[in-house]
Amino acid sequence: MTGGDPKHGREVMAHYGCVTCHRIPGVTGAQGLVGPPLDRMASRSFVGGVLQNTPENMIRFIQHPRQVVQHSAMPDLNVTDSDGRDMAAYLYTLR
């Protein structure tokens, strides 16, 4: 869906610290309780609670969450375009 590599996306989630705040199925150490659990992302209607769940919107929110939701607790982590596509590709495997 995103043109990304889901396996690499799963791997880089720890690098960017996603595991600190989120529970993410299949990602080692992802037991955070600050952000929402990311299970079933492929089945959700919205990304960040405000954007329609499309690959473009998922990547946008991963890369620039506060441009989408100004007061989001999720920080901008300087996610590259390639890593953003890969992370979104992995999240779309979660049904």
Side-chain angles (χ1 to χ4, degrees), residues 31-73:
Q31 296 299 317
L33 299 175
V34 175
L38 299 182
D39 61 311
R40 300 182 47 142
M41 280 304 301
S43 302
R44 296 185 188 189
S45 298
F46 294 96
V47 174
V50 297
L51 294 176
Q52 181 182 357
N53 190 352
T54 67
E56 296 81 17
N57 286 340
M58 175 86 72
I59 295 165
R60 180 177 168 211
F61 187 75
I62 289 169
Q63 289 189 286
H64 308 289
R66 292 185 178 167
Q67 286 181 5
V68 176
V69 180
Q70 183 178 2
H71 298 292
S72 175

Side-chain angles (χ1 to χ4, degrees), residues 73-85:
M74 186 166 151
D76 186 331
L77 299 169
N78 298 312
V79 175
T80 67
D81 291 341
S82 176
D83 287 347
R85 277 191 306 277

